Amino acid sequence: MTEKIHKTIFCKDFEITKTDFDFDFQKGLTVKLDNQSTAFDENVINEIVLWKVNRYVNIEKETLKLVNKIKTDSKELDIENTKIVLKALLQTKGIQLPMASTILRFKNPKIYQIIDQRVYRIIYKDKKLKLNTYPSEKNLNEQIELYLIYLIDLNKTCDLLQIPFDKSDRILFMADRRINKDISLDNY
């Protein structure tokens, strides 16, 4: 099999075209960072890092309003409200279930915890966390149901292991990292 040789500026057919000037990567954030005129602080640095790794999320104001309706002092899961908030989050470009659950977890850790590959594989023996990221109505509903079932099972796991629910994602993450350190994760 012959190895393909990549082109460089030194190739005789190399040229810059008009479309090369149409840089459209992370448009909103690129404009914001290009126009940054104040001193850099931690938030600006984090935005630059997020820009570089293509992980910046431009969240709609309506979605933020929904997230902020979650009561921070409640210990009761409001299933219908959770479905509405999760659906709005999952419809936001750049937010998949692990990130949506992270947002919810930081909003109220007494109700929500992060769903990720490590915690998932440690509480579900022979299952891998598989997410269909195509934002169809069916897939969104499946992800929401997956997360709600996960929260129920995580609560049962906390009772079984006698660990606090509000720290369970971190405790089980670290446990998996320790006991499954030689088993690779998907996309890592």
Side-chain angles (χ1 to χ4, degrees):
M1 187 168 145
T2 60
E3 185 178 332
K4 265 189 153 179
I5 298 175
H6 69 279
K7 291 189 175 194
T8 71
I9 60 170
F10 303 105
C11 295
K12 65 179 179 181
D13 61 343
F14 179 85
E15 67 178 334
I16 297 291
T17 67
K18 185 179 180 198
T19 60
D20 295 330
F21 289 88
D22 298 332
F23 188 80
D24 64 357
F25 180 77
Q26 293 276 19
K27 276 186 178 180
L29 184 56
T30 299
V31 169
K32 181 179 179 183
L33 292 172
D34 283 347
N35 293 308
Q36 176 69 33
S37 60
T38 61
F40 279 22
D41 60 12
E42 191 173 352
N43 290 329
V44 173
I45 296 299
N46 284 331
E47 285 182 324
I48 292 168
V49 170
L50 293 171
W51 178 88
K52 178 66 176 161
V53 297
N54 197 17
R55 298 290 297 164
Y56 188 78
V57 174
N58 191 8
I59 197 161
E60 299 287 328
K61 286 183 175 151
E62 282 305 310
T63 302
L64 281 174
K65 284 181 188 176
L66 290 171
V67 169
N68 286 317
K69 283 184 180 180
I70 294 171
K71 296 177 180 157
T72 57
D73 58 347
S74 177
K75 291 184 179 181
E76 294 296 317
L77 176 64
D78 180 339
I79 291 174
E80 289 312 308
N81 189 47
T82 297
K83 286 180 178 181
I84 292 167
V85 173
L86 258 179
K87 189 171 190 176
L89 286 170
L90 292 171
Q91 288 175 320
T92 302
K93 184 179 179 186
I95 295 183
Q96 295 176 5
L97 187 56
M99 182 58 70
S101 69
T102 302
I103 292 166
L104 294 176
R105 189 244 185 258
F106 282 105
K107 186 65 178 171
N108 187 339
K110 294 172 267 188
I111 299 173
Y112 305 108
Q113 290 290 289
I114 299 169
I115 187 171
D116 74 0
Q117 291 183 62
R118 288 192 181 277
V119 178
Y120 197 85
R121 78 176 176 183
I122 206 166
I123 66 174
Y124 297 106
K125 186 177 178 180
D126 294 319
K127 288 183 177 178
K128 281 188 172 188
L129 180 60
K130 293 190 181 200
L131 302 172
N132 189 336
T133 58
Y134 182 74
S136 72
E137 191 72 24
K138 179 182 179 219
N139 292 339
L140 290 173
N141 291 333
E142 287 173 355
Q143 289 183 64
I144 291 166
E145 288 305 312
L146 172 77
Y147 185 63
L148 292 172
I149 291 167
Y150 169 80
L151 289 176
I152 292 166
D153 293 343
L154 186 57
N155 264 297
K156 290 176 186 175
T157 301
C158 290
D159 290 343
L160 178 71
L161 299 175
Q162 297 182 344
I163 60 173
F165 180 80
D166 65 340
K167 305 265 189 277
S168 61
D169 61 349
R170 296 171 182 184
I171 294 167
L172 295 172
F173 176 92
M174 294 304 289
D176 179 78
R177 212 166 110 185
R178 177 179 41 81
I179 65 175
N180 292 317
K181 66 181 173 223
D182 297 327
I183 302 170
S184 64
L185 297 165
D186 290 345
N187 300 319
Y188 280 84

